[in-house]
Amino acid sequence: MDAVTGLAYRSAGDFSTLGEAHEVAELTTLIAGVLHEAGAPGELESVVITSTRRHEIVQTVPGRAPLNSAVLFVALDRERANLALAVREAAALAESILT
């Protein structure tokens, strides 16, 4: 999805329980802003959210310019997923998207 507008470019699976794409984009922008204010600009790589039922991974996909970025959003069933492996694979997928 587009990290600025929240426009979802593609989705697969059942996303009925997830928030809107623009909400995920807003969350990512908020966290990146907090990092910037803390003296770590441009260092947001991923956000991992865990709940009792799911793991959600928001992985940044760097663009050619700061306002030309996308994020990869992955939601996994907690009982069936390996979080560490999923984070690693999401990072690899994000790297391959723009190459």
Side-chain angles (χ1 to χ4, degrees):
M1 83 180 65
D2 186 284
V4 177
T5 65
L7 175 66
Y9 294 114
R10 184 172 179 185
S11 63
D14 179 16
F15 282 87
S16 62
T17 60
L18 301 179
E20 296 291 324
H22 71 275
E23 292 172 342
V24 175
E26 287 176 12
L27 173 65
T28 305
T29 302
L30 175 67
I31 293 171
V34 170
L35 284 174
H36 181 77
E37 289 176 13
E43 295 196 18
L44 178 63
E45 184 176 295
S46 64
V47 178
V48 177
I49 303 166
T50 59
S51 68
T52 56
R53 294 180 41 227
R54 288 198 324 243
H55 297 300
E56 296 177 0
I57 303 165
V58 181
Q59 179 71 43
T60 60
V61 178
R64 300 190 196 287
L67 294 179
N68 187 20
S69 296
V71 293
L72 174 65
F73 183 63
V74 181
L76 306 160
D77 183 340
R78 188 173 175 154
E79 291 182 10
R80 300 177 56 200
N82 179 322
L83 180 58
L85 182 59
V87 169
R88 185 174 173 195
E89 289 183 3
L93 180 58
E95 279 292 319
S96 72
I97 288 176
L98 294 179
T99 56

